Amino acid sequence: AQVHRFVDRVLAGRRPPPRVPVTMTCGLAEQNLGNNRPVAGALAAGGWDVRLVEHPGEHDWDAWRLSLREELPRLLRRVERTRLR
């Protein structure tokens, strides 16, 4: 319900979303990679701090575990820097 309310507010233009750092990860063998690239570009063009990480593999636990281990600490550091501003 929280996510739906947030999306409704954003789409209705009632309140701009906070510009929090975003990390997107996608396997090079995933079908969605072609969609994630323009989404990351659109977010960056809109002023978001976005990082798209393309990793070997597909949409599976091994790829997620690797991405989480490597990218979550980086994202948390970016979030902390944002909070300190």
Side-chain angles (χ1 to χ4, degrees):
Q2 236 179 338
V3 171
H4 287 277
R5 284 192 303 273
F6 172 80
V7 171
D8 287 344
R9 281 196 314 267
V10 171
L11 292 177
R14 287 181 273 178
R15 188 174 110 195
R19 297 291 196 258
V20 296
V22 174
T23 296
M24 300 171 60
T25 65
C26 194
L28 292 169
E30 286 189 47
Q31 292 178 349
N32 205 33
L33 182 58
N35 296 323
N36 285 343
R37 288 174 176 157
V39 167
L43 286 169
W48 292 73
D49 172 10
V50 63
R51 174 175 161 79
L52 173 60
V53 179
E54 298 176 11
H55 54 79
E58 298 182 35
H59 195 76
D60 56 37
W61 287 111
D62 291 331
W64 297 334
R65 185 175 48 250
L66 269 175
S67 291
L68 251 156
R69 183 174 58 220
E70 293 178 13
E71 295 305 322
L72 185 57
R74 288 184 182 122
L75 175 61
L76 292 174
R77 285 191 297 271
R78 289 168 46 218
V79 168
E80 187 62 27
R81 283 194 304 267
T82 301
R83 285 181 14 155
L84 295 174
R85 288 185 205 156

